[in-house]
Amino acid sequence: MSDETGTLLVHLDAERPHLELRGFRLEPNDGTTTEAHAFTALRVALGSHPSNDLVLDDPTVSRFHCELRLDPRGVRVSDQGSSNGTFVQRVRVMDAYLHDGAELRLGARAFVLRLDATPRSVPLGDVERFGALVGRSAAMRQAFEQLARCAKSDATVLLDGETGTGKEAAAIAIHEASPRTDGPFVVVDCGALPATLLESELFGHVRGAFTGADRDHVGAFEAAHGGTIFLDEIGELPLDLQPKLLRALEQRTIRRVGDTRHRAIDVRVIAATHRNLRTMVNEGQLRPDLYYRLAVVSVELPSLRDRLDDLPLLVGTLLDRLRADPSTRARFTSVGFLAQLHRSRWPGNVRELRNYLERSLVMDAPAPIESAPPTTNDSSTESAGSAADFPLDPTATYADARTAALAVFERRWLEALLAHHGGNVSEAARSAEINRPYLHKLLRRHGLR
């Protein structure tokens, strides 16, 4: 596939899996140096932090200033919450595409983008599965290669991706493909526990450490000794706990709450988040040294809308896991049904797709589904969610139609509630005047958490 402007060519050859893409150079345009920086990676980070692909030692440049990505439409720049902003042709942008010869400015530093004249071939693996994850798209093949390499080492891994993209499944697959497969796999959801309990859950406590601590408690790090600990939603970790996690990562020792003794741990750490941790570092919500320790290896799991070509394989695999009989499977893998799925939004990604298929199997008919909104420059159109957008099925019973309509309303309300509170579940629960555990239950029901 290629874009019409020719600024970037991305091609997937089914017989010889590879990408053909045009690299680019960033030529200084601020008089600081004449050395150009060349890149062929699909994702390039710019900033003053040492972990960036292009490190700019300048006080006007944020730790994680912006990110450049190659996609079929061209070179895309995304600001990472920088202090002094990212500018294209002297216009401040949060997200924009760069044309050949465009000026990119980060604080006081300026560059001119130059695209390579000819594309380069980048080989891709031919693996279509890794653990429970499946995919034939270029994005998933690349992810599988990275995950397989991660499994061979003991390095800390940060899994990045939207809710429902399969981060926990990826963590399990890394563990099972690693030399630690015979050891325990322990999961801690950092966003599901109050801060007062999270420290005890991670590091344990001794008897009498606090009111109600009537016995010693082994924390997740100790329980994972010899195996892997998976820290889900690491972006929700409170600031006061971050130094303690950093110490555990650096020294491989932990201290239980209320104890004076440090205990050695032998664990492999995998963390996951749907939040932009680089932006959190810039905003002071995450320690930069902790981010550096967590992101030793970073793997991004693509959203479903970025890998819609995987829908036939995904649907077939999910139907097998849901034990659909052959006749039902044939109906739900037809060209017309798959085309309908292809036009849908899938904000909940693969988890939402599974929930939708399971709901359809229960109803023995395709459940109502939200179609993708028409192309528009008015961002309010997509979020408005008017009643006219809801597809009605006149063949369904009143009870089924009402249940489906309520499910759509509930999901849209949850999405709007989370967006309004920046993904903070505690704030959202207080605002909606419902208990946080119940809100978590609703989020899980709709594949949003």
Side-chain angles (χ1 to χ4, degrees):
M1 50 185 174
S2 62
D3 67 323
E4 296 178 356
T5 63
T7 55
L8 175 71
L9 175 67
V10 182
H11 176 68
L12 177 63
D13 188 334
E15 296 183 358
R16 186 175 63 89
H18 70 285
L19 288 175
E20 291 183 6
L21 55 88
R22 291 171 65 183
F24 63 92
R25 302 184 312 281
L26 292 176
E27 298 178 351
N29 194 36
D30 49 23
T32 57
T33 179
T34 59
E35 181 184 1
H37 307 276
F39 302 97
T40 55
L42 293 178
R43 185 179 179 184
V44 177
L46 290 74
S48 60
H49 195 274
S51 65
N52 285 282
D53 300 295
L54 176 55
V55 181
L56 302 172
D57 186 12
D58 191 298
T60 65
V61 176
S62 296
R63 289 188 180 96
F64 301 102
H65 201 103
C66 69
E67 185 177 81
L68 300 179
R69 290 172 178 257
L70 302 186
D71 68 25
R73 295 179 60 186
V75 181
R76 184 175 181 176
V77 58
S78 300
D79 186 83
Q80 302 292 291
S82 64
S83 299
N84 294 319
T86 300
F87 293 79
V88 177
Q89 301 297 100
R90 300 190 181 277
V91 177
R92 186 165 185 169
V93 301
M94 290 300 297
D95 198 302
Y97 281 95
L98 302 173
H99 59 78
D100 190 16
E103 183 188 64
L104 175 66
R105 185 174 292 273
L106 293 69
R109 301 299 302 274
F111 302 88
V112 174
L113 176 81
R114 299 295 184 190
L115 288 161
D116 292 348
T118 56
R120 301 182 183 183
S121 179
V122 179
L124 287 173
D126 55 3
V127 176
E128 298 181 354
R129 295 175 182 270
F130 186 76
L133 301 175
V134 297
R136 296 186 179 123
S137 62
M140 288 305 293
R141 289 173 190 259
Q142 285 191 312
F144 291 160
E145 280 194 45
Q146 290 178 293
L147 294 172
R149 287 197 294 268
C150 290
K152 297 177 182 178
S153 75
D154 246 4
T156 301
V157 179
L158 177 62
L159 301 175
D160 185 19
E162 297 177 6
T163 299
T165 50
K167 296 187 289 294
E168 184 169 349
I172 294 172
I174 291 174
H175 171 73
E176 292 181 345
S178 76
R180 294 178 175 268
T181 184
D182 293 330
F185 180 82
V186 179
V187 180
V188 178
D189 187 344
C190 299
L193 294 170
T196 52
L197 296 180
L198 186 55
E199 182 178 4
S200 173
E201 181 66 22
L202 287 170
F203 308 117
H205 65 254
V206 296
R207 180 181 178 183
F210 49 81
T211 303
D214 56 354
R215 66 189 68 183
D216 288 355
H217 171 67
V218 175
F221 271 95
E222 285 186 81
H225 187 78
T228 303
I229 183 170
F230 176 51
L231 305 177
D232 199 9
E233 297 301 347
I234 192 65
E236 308 300 326
L237 190 71
L239 270 171
D240 60 339
L241 280 185
Q242 292 179 17
K244 298 176 181 179
L245 176 58
L246 178 62
R247 189 177 303 112
L249 294 175
E250 289 182 334
Q251 301 177 4
R252 297 294 161 169
T253 61
I254 60 96
R255 184 168 61 86
R256 293 180 181 180
V257 178
D259 200 357
T260 58
R261 181 163 62 99
H262 286 80
R263 303 165 189 263
I265 51 171
D266 172 25
V267 296
R268 201 272 176 80
V269 179
I270 303 177
T273 182
H274 74 283
R275 301 182 66 179
N276 190 326
L277 297 189
R278 292 174 175 175
T279 297
M280 292 182 63
V281 170
N282 290 336
E283 295 175 348
Q285 300 176 26
L286 183 70
R287 293 174 57 113
D289 47 1
L290 177 58
Y291 173 80
Y292 189 71
R293 283 292 180 180
L294 290 171
V296 174
V297 181
S298 295
V299 181
E300 183 177 18
L301 297 180
S303 64
L304 183 52
R305 62 181 173 276
D306 291 331
R307 49 180 293 227
L308 289 174
D309 290 344
D310 285 339
L311 272 173
L313 178 61
L314 279 170
V315 171
T317 302
L318 292 173
L319 289 174
D320 288 342
R321 294 174 184 171
L322 293 171
R323 302 181 182 276
D325 60 65
S327 61
T328 302
R329 195 181 193 281
R331 280 190 298 150
F332 288 103
T333 55
S334 66
V335 174
F337 181 72
L338 291 174
Q340 180 185 359
L341 298 183
H342 200 280
R343 293 191 296 268
S344 303
R345 297 173 179 172
W346 305 119
N349 291 295
V350 178
R351 185 181 299 156
E352 182 189 6
L353 175 63
R354 178 192 170 95
N355 291 348
Y356 171 78
L357 291 173
E358 189 170 14
R359 188 163 65 250
S360 297
L361 290 177
V362 171
M363 297 174 65
D364 197 29
I369 187 171
E370 293 183 81
S371 299
T375 302
T376 174
N377 292 327
D378 181 5
S379 60
S380 65
T381 303
E382 182 176 350
S383 60
S386 64
D389 294 332
F390 181 75
L392 297 176
D393 181 7
T395 64
T397 65
Y398 168 77
D400 288 341
R402 182 176 181 274
T403 299
L406 287 174
V408 172
F409 155 75
E410 195 173 75
R411 179 184 181 82
R412 288 178 175 174
W413 177 77
L414 289 169
E415 290 173 342
L417 180 68
L418 282 181
H420 181 68
H421 293 281
N424 190 311
V425 178
S426 297
E427 290 183 6
R430 285 194 295 269
S431 173
E433 298 183 0
I434 58 178
N435 293 329
R436 189 171 68 167
Y438 181 65
L439 179 56
H440 274 292
K441 179 179 179 182
L442 293 177
L443 294 172
R444 287 194 296 269
R445 178 187 299 170
H446 293 278
L448 296 174
R449 186 71 178 171

